[in-house]
């Protein structure tokens, strides 16, 4: 695991924990929003990038959102094979409702966490 992966892990874990709490409380939409935030934080790390997409797939299957589930299968393959080369659209939230190639602005709090962890919040690909 890279230094960035290790330093960003607590931030990604915090968003995943929030997603789990909200899902358990029946707040599916808010839960997925935290998975999207975890995606933005961890997408420069192959480990966290794949991990979050797998959790998005699990969420989609649990909530029977089949379009999302299909999209996540493709995104898992992409995350596993492209992240190591830096071929990720920075800021992309990772959901199937947006092109997997589209860069997006990063929320200021997430950008601060990324930069504090040694990553870059500048756009790539």
């Amino acid at each position: 695991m890279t230094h960035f992966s290790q330093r960003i892990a607590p931030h990604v874990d915090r968003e995943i924990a929030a997603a789990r709490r909200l899902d358990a409380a029946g707040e599916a939409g808010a839960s997925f929003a935290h998975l999207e935030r975890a995606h933005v934080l961890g997408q420069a790390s192959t480990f966290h990038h794949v991990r979050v997409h797998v959790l998005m797939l699990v969420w989609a299957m649990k909530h029977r959102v089949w379009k999302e589930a299909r999209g996540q299968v493709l995104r898992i393959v992409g995350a596993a094979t492209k992240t190591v080369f830096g071929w990720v659209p920075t800021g992309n939230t990772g959901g199937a409702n947006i092109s997997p190639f589209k860069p997006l602005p990063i929320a200021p709090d997430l950008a601060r966490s990324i930069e504090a962890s040694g990553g870059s919040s500048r756009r790539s690909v």
Side-chain angles (χ1 to χ4, degrees):
M1 191 176 289
T2 67
H3 291 292
F4 172 75
S5 291
Q6 292 170 340
R7 289 191 297 261
I8 200 68
H11 304 283
V12 174
D13 291 345
R14 182 177 57 245
E15 294 297 334
I16 290 170
R20 287 181 173 146
R21 280 192 304 275
L22 288 162
D23 201 48
E27 299 286 337
S31 171
F32 195 80
H34 280 280
L35 291 176
E36 291 176 317
R37 288 173 55 84
H39 179 270
V40 171
L41 288 166
Q43 76 180 142
S45 158
T46 300
F47 173 79
H48 294 298
H49 197 183
V50 172
R51 174 183 176 209
V52 172
H53 279 299
V54 168
L55 291 172
M56 288 176 157
L57 174 60
V58 169
W59 180 96
M61 293 172 62
K62 176 182 179 183
H63 295 286
R64 298 177 186 216
V65 183
W66 305 120
K67 180 182 176 193
E68 187 66 46
R70 284 188 301 276
Q72 289 309 319
V73 170
L74 296 173
R75 284 161 175 79
I76 289 167
V77 172
T81 60
K82 308 291 189 259
T83 306
V84 70
F85 301 109
W87 297 346
V88 295
T90 302
N92 187 291
T93 56
N97 63 331
I98 188 130
S99 167
F101 307 107
K102 182 177 184 172
L104 295 170
I106 299 175
D109 65 319
L110 300 182
R112 285 190 297 274
S113 295
I114 292 166
E115 289 172 10
S117 299
S120 173
S121 60
R122 289 176 280 142
R123 293 190 194 279
S124 63
V125 174

